Amino acid sequence: MSVMPFRGGAAREAELLGAVLEVLRETGYDRLTVDAVVARARASKQTVYRRWPSKAELVVAAFVNAVSGGPAVPDTGSLRGDLLALMDVLLDELDELGDVIAGLLGELRRNAELAAAMEQHYIGARRRSLLAVFERARARGEVSPEADVELLWQAGPAIVFFRALVSGEPVDRALARRIVDRVVLPLL
Amino acid sequence: MSVMPFRGGAAREAELLGAVLEVLRETGYDRLTVDAVVARARASKQTVYRRWPSKAELVVAAFVNAVSGGPAVPDTGSLRGDLLALMDVLLDELDELGDVIAGLLGELRRNAELAAAMEQHYIGARRRSLLAVFERARARGEVSPEADVELLWQAGPAIVFFRALVSGEPVDRALARRIVDRVVLPLL
Amino acid sequence: MSVMPFRGGAAREAELLGAVLEVLRETGYDRLTVDAVVARARASKQTVYRRWPSKAELVVAAFVNAVSGGPAVPDTGSLRGDLLALMDVLLDELDELGDVIAGLLGELRRNAELAAAMEQHYIGARRRSLLAVFERARARGEVSPEADVELLWQAGPAIVFFRALVSGEPVDRALARRIVDRVVLPLL
Amino acid sequence: MSVMPFRGGAAREAELLGAVLEVLRETGYDRLTVDAVVARARASKQTVYRRWPSKAELVVAAFVNAVSGGPAVPDTGSLRGDLLALMDVLLDELDELGDVIAGLLGELRRNAELAAAMEQHYIGARRRSLLAVFERARARGEVSPEADVELLWQAGPAIVFFRALVSGEPVDRALARRIVDRVVLPLL
DNA sequence: TCATAAGCGAGACGGTACGTCGTGTCTTACG
DNA sequence: CGTAAGACACGACGTACCGTCTCGCTTATGA
């Protein structure tokens, strides 16, 4: 007498990760407990631990699942517009998942595999989008040849992360505009 | 016939925070337990919890105590030299206490009081040093009047934190030099 | 490849109570620690506290478990023999578990549920045995009709408890004989 | 600017014991804490521990102080009246201090000195009163020569203690009368 | 008259136990 | 065989109480 139809492995996996996100949104990362996730998904702990070996991996999986795909490379016609569009996406994500990221940073320092997953699916995806935007601008001649693009792409995200996670200052679109207009663009 | 001299409250406090740092250095933030600290300091849990209401506050206190005072404002004669000196301090601190910071960021998001303490004694102290350096440079005419100093001071720290804590890229003096020469100075 | 066979809840419960008794015998009631019990049984505190909400309830459960069943109703052929047999059982129990009883009396006064359990399984069982002996004697005509059996059954136990727990006088078989011959039997 | 006049050692001692009794009456023996006593008496812990080496000794001292002197030997003219008068005193004391006695019994088993103090000042005093009453009755010829007075004096107290502390049955004057009329007097 | 000791309040301290919580492993019973 | 349910060992948390200690003040006594 099951109260729920059987669901294959992949579908169940998505449900579990969804439950993780729900609990994350309600309680934050470190108040999240595997028991809460399991109760939310009407699952068993074994069902979770069969797939992810620890709470950290579970949360990273849910996080990556939530942000995966990453931002589409925008095409507003101007470099400035593209940059602002990407910064907006970053801001929204930080707003929603900043707690999760902050909670995970400690784990990432100790678990290279987790760190690699985050780099690959989160930071990496955003880096690739930014670099694509820069590349297109370079093709249009908007980028000075001696600009250190490998360093510059992360100036914007870095400042936003720094304020959101470390210094606690507000991050909003005005800030994004300031960064783009007074830091990134002048250096290109 | 006491086997040990009496130590006033303030002295005991310093000993406790010292024990926290020792344990932090040996075991890392997340493996740190209050019991370990207490054993190290030959203290009782009450002695700790009388002063700091939770493990997080204890660790923040130890961190703040370790970095407080902040970097002396350097005076190498040139803006570039001063900036590099400050970046070096930042790098050393991150190297030594990066794990602690990463572990604490989650707590800071949920505890405004802790966040304020960190901002006041850690980030704030470094911001004040950097701004003092900028101010001196401005007096010497090395800073363009329209430079957004309030934003620029954090470009260096932000990039360093971003790489050290979020993207996992290496941070070293070469990077510091790159940041100063290709981001901060050009924008001034 | 489990290193130990699974034991159902009921079996585990018996093991835990056994560990309590072991620790009781070794260290006495007041020195008994839940941690010691847990270590002895290779159990977790949760496993204990899941079943019994406090140390007191745990100890009462172990005590009740140890004495439950109570003394078989003896049948020596004579009332005097039966009474002496029951008193002997009482003496042995007091000798072995007197410390535990003395330690528990304080708790029992504040916890009616615990007191009821003790009355039901310890005192009650002994009362029932004594009354059965009296009843059989009455059937044989050895009991005067106007004897206050409801009061008399507890004269023996009461004196023994009084001396063992309160006044600190020795209790031995000679005393038991004295009580039976000079108090109980004459009043019947 | 002291808020309280100085009190010599003996007077302070009585105040402290009074505070113990107050706290005992409010919270019972095992919920009593030395800190509570100290707060109640506006005293310092050292002031308590200078006089009594442990909580148990403190409470026993307060108890003995409260019941000291013991019951005056009554003289109602009849043995029965005298016995009932003494039983009434016992009942009142048990009613008021039963919790304390129950809480202390565990300690007494482990601390012979404490047990001796209780026996001397509490049980002993009551035994002496009862024996005096028996002795007077014997002089009047009310006591059979072969009665085991050394055993009989404790029948009444024992049954009362047993019911009050162990079996949890009610103790009242009707019970006292029953004990005197159906147990003690018939055996004399 | 003043200092010097003794008792005191206040309360911090080391130690030990408590009862709670969370993780990751495990067993059972069901479908 | 995968699952829901949930017991379990382990280990950390934060609280409570005991008995010892130090401090600084007040009182009592002796020079």
Side-chain angles (χ1 to χ4, degrees):
Chain A
M1 192 170 89
S2 86
V3 72
M4 217 174 242
F6 178 79
R7 241 160 255 288
R12 197 75 182 103
E13 198 152 316
E15 286 178 359
L16 292 168
L17 295 181
V20 173
L21 276 185
E22 281 181 41
V23 177
L24 272 179
R25 271 186 251 276
E26 289 168 19
T27 66
Y29 170 72
D30 24 0
R31 303 233 178 107
L32 170 138
T33 66
V34 177
D35 282 322
V37 171
V38 145
R40 175 67 52 107
R42 291 195 73 81
S44 133
K45 288 176 98 172
Q46 199 63 308
T47 304
V48 167
Y49 280 102
R50 201 192 313 283
R51 292 171 163 84
W52 302 280
S54 75
K55 173 180 153 178
E57 316 240 3
L58 170 65
V59 173
V60 167
F63 178 83
V64 160
N65 185 256
V67 300
S68 87
V73 181
D75 190 358
T76 63
S78 76
L79 173 57
R80 182 170 183 273
D82 290 352
L83 289 176
L84 287 176
L86 284 174
M87 291 294 279
D88 279 358
V89 172
L90 209 63
L91 256 53
D92 290 345
E93 288 171 348
L94 259 183
D95 204 50
E96 193 185 351
L97 295 168
D99 284 339
V100 182
I101 298 172
L104 282 173
L105 289 183
E107 299 289 334
L108 300 185
R109 296 212 114 214
R110 253 164 301 117
N111 188 329
E113 201 177 333
L114 279 188
M118 282 290 275
E119 148 63 22
Q120 169 70 13
H121 296 99
Y122 179 53
I123 298 302
R126 275 122 204 93
R127 183 184 64 239
R128 286 187 290 276
S129 290
L130 276 164
L131 290 180
V133 162
F134 283 131
E135 190 50 43
R136 215 163 43 200
R138 178 196 307 275
R140 290 193 302 250
E142 297 184 61
V143 175
S144 137
E146 70 264 15
D148 186 346
V149 172
E150 286 297 321
L151 183 62
L152 263 184
W153 77 263
Q154 58 191 358
I159 294 179
V160 165
F161 270 86
F162 182 78
R163 295 173 79 119
L165 301 185
V166 182
S167 76
E169 297 164 90
V171 293
D172 54 18
R173 311 211 159 187
L175 173 69
R177 197 163 315 219
R178 227 168 126 200
I179 294 171
V180 168
D181 288 336
R182 305 194 194 169
V183 175
V184 183
L185 291 181
L187 290 171
L188 295 169
Chain B
M1 194 174 92
S2 79
V3 72
M4 216 174 241
F6 177 79
R7 281 153 281 111
R12 197 73 181 104
E13 192 156 316
E15 287 178 358
L16 293 168
L17 295 181
V20 173
L21 277 184
E22 282 182 39
V23 176
L24 272 179
R25 271 186 251 275
E26 289 169 18
T27 67
Y29 171 74
D30 56 323
R31 304 252 174 96
L32 171 136
T33 64
V34 177
D35 282 319
V37 170
V38 146
R40 173 67 52 107
R42 276 196 85 76
S44 141
K45 288 178 118 177
Q46 281 292 25
T47 302
V48 167
Y49 282 102
R50 207 191 319 279
R51 293 172 160 83
W52 303 281
S54 73
K55 175 179 150 178
E57 314 240 2
L58 171 64
V59 174
V60 167
F63 178 84
V64 160
N65 185 257
V67 300
S68 94
V73 181
D75 191 358
T76 64
S78 77
L79 175 56
R80 182 169 184 274
D82 291 351
L83 289 176
L84 286 176
L86 284 175
M87 290 294 279
D88 278 358
V89 171
L90 209 62
L91 255 53
D92 290 345
E93 287 172 348
L94 259 182
D95 204 50
E96 193 185 351
L97 295 167
D99 284 338
V100 182
I101 297 173
L104 283 174
L105 288 183
E107 298 289 334
L108 299 186
R109 296 214 114 213
R110 255 169 307 114
N111 188 330
E113 202 177 332
L114 281 188
M118 282 291 274
E119 148 61 23
Q120 170 70 15
H121 296 98
Y122 180 51
I123 299 303
R126 276 121 203 91
R127 182 185 64 238
R128 285 188 291 275
S129 290
L130 275 165
L131 290 180
V133 161
F134 282 133
E135 188 52 41
R136 217 165 41 200
R138 178 197 306 277
R140 293 194 300 251
E142 296 185 62
V143 175
S144 137
E146 69 262 17
D148 187 346
V149 172
E150 286 298 320
L151 183 62
L152 264 183
W153 77 263
Q154 59 191 355
I159 294 178
V160 166
F161 270 86
F162 182 78
R163 294 172 80 118
L165 302 184
V166 183
S167 74
E169 297 164 87
V171 293
D172 53 19
R173 308 210 163 187
L175 173 69
R177 198 160 315 214
R178 221 167 130 203
I179 294 170
V180 168
D181 288 337
R182 304 195 194 170
V183 175
V184 182
L185 290 181
L187 289 171
L188 294 169
Chain C
M1 192 172 93
S2 80
V3 72
M4 214 173 241
F6 178 79
R7 281 151 281 111
R12 197 73 180 104
E13 192 155 316
E15 287 178 358
L16 292 169
L17 295 181
V20 173
L21 277 185
E22 281 182 39
V23 176
L24 273 179
R25 273 186 249 275
E26 289 169 19
T27 68
Y29 171 74
D30 57 323
R31 304 250 174 97
L32 172 135
T33 323
V34 177
D35 282 319
V37 171
V38 146
R40 173 68 50 107
R42 272 197 89 75
S44 139
K45 288 176 115 175
Q46 281 292 27
T47 302
V48 168
Y49 282 103
R50 207 190 321 279
R51 292 172 161 82
W52 303 282
S54 73
K55 174 180 150 177
E57 315 240 3
L58 170 64
V59 173
V60 167
F63 178 84
V64 161
N65 185 256
V67 300
S68 92
V73 180
D75 191 358
T76 63
S78 77
L79 174 56
R80 181 169 183 276
D82 290 351
L83 289 176
L84 286 176
L86 285 175
M87 291 294 279
D88 278 358
V89 172
L90 209 62
L91 255 53
D92 290 345
E93 288 172 346
L94 259 183
D95 204 50
E96 193 184 352
L97 295 168
D99 283 339
V100 181
I101 298 173
L104 283 175
L105 289 183
E107 297 290 333
L108 299 186
R109 295 215 115 214
R110 255 168 307 113
N111 189 330
E113 202 176 332
L114 281 187
M118 283 290 274
E119 147 63 22
Q120 169 70 14
H121 296 99
Y122 180 50
I123 299 302
R126 275 121 203 93
R127 182 184 62 238
R128 284 187 292 274
S129 291
L130 276 165
L131 290 179
V133 161
F134 282 133
E135 188 50 42
R136 218 166 39 204
R138 178 196 307 276
R140 290 195 302 252
E142 296 185 62
V143 176
S144 136
E146 70 261 17
D148 187 347
V149 172
E150 287 298 320
L151 183 62
L152 264 183
W153 77 263
Q154 58 191 357
I159 294 177
V160 166
F161 270 86
F162 183 79
R163 294 174 81 118
L165 302 184
V166 183
S167 75
E169 296 165 88
V171 293
D172 52 19
R173 308 210 163 190
L175 173 69
R177 197 162 316 217
R178 222 167 130 202
I179 293 171
V180 168
D181 288 336
R182 306 197 195 167
V183 176
V184 182
L185 291 180
L187 289 172
L188 294 170
Chain D
M1 193 170 90
S2 84
V3 72
M4 217 174 239
F6 178 79
R7 240 161 256 289
R12 197 76 182 101
E13 197 152 316
E15 285 178 0
L16 292 169
L17 295 181
V20 173
L21 276 185
E22 281 183 39
V23 177
L24 272 179
R25 271 186 250 276
E26 289 168 19
T27 67
Y29 170 73
D30 24 0
R31 302 230 178 110
L32 170 137
T33 67
V34 177
D35 281 322
V37 171
V38 146
R40 174 69 51 109
R42 291 193 73 80
S44 134
K45 289 177 97 171
Q46 199 63 307
T47 303
V48 167
Y49 280 102
R50 200 191 317 279
R51 292 170 163 83
W52 302 279
S54 75
K55 172 180 153 177
E57 316 240 3
L58 170 65
V59 173
V60 167
F63 178 84
V64 160
N65 184 256
V67 300
S68 85
V73 180
D75 191 357
T76 63
S78 76
L79 173 57
R80 182 169 183 276
D82 290 352
L83 290 176
L84 287 176
L86 285 174
M87 291 294 278
D88 279 357
V89 172
L90 210 62
L91 255 53
D92 290 345
E93 288 172 346
L94 259 184
D95 204 50
E96 194 184 351
L97 296 167
D99 284 339
V100 182
I101 298 172
L104 282 173
L105 288 184
E107 298 289 334
L108 299 186
R109 295 211 116 214
R110 253 163 303 118
N111 187 329
E113 200 176 333
L114 278 188
M118 283 290 277
E119 148 62 22
Q120 169 71 13
H121 296 98
Y122 180 52
I123 298 302
R126 275 121 204 92
R127 182 184 65 238
R128 285 187 292 274
S129 291
L130 276 164
L131 290 180
V133 162
F134 282 132
E135 189 50 42
R136 218 166 40 204
R138 178 195 308 275
R140 291 194 301 251
E142 296 184 64
V143 175
S144 136
E146 70 264 15
D148 186 348
V149 173
E150 286 298 320
L151 183 63
L152 264 185
W153 78 263
Q154 59 190 359
I159 294 178
V160 166
F161 270 87
F162 183 78
R163 295 173 80 117
L165 301 185
V166 182
S167 75
E169 297 165 89
V171 292
D172 53 19
R173 309 208 162 192
L175 173 69
R177 196 163 315 218
R178 225 167 127 202
I179 294 171
V180 169
D181 288 336
R182 307 196 195 168
V183 176
V184 183
L185 291 181
L187 289 172
L188 293 170

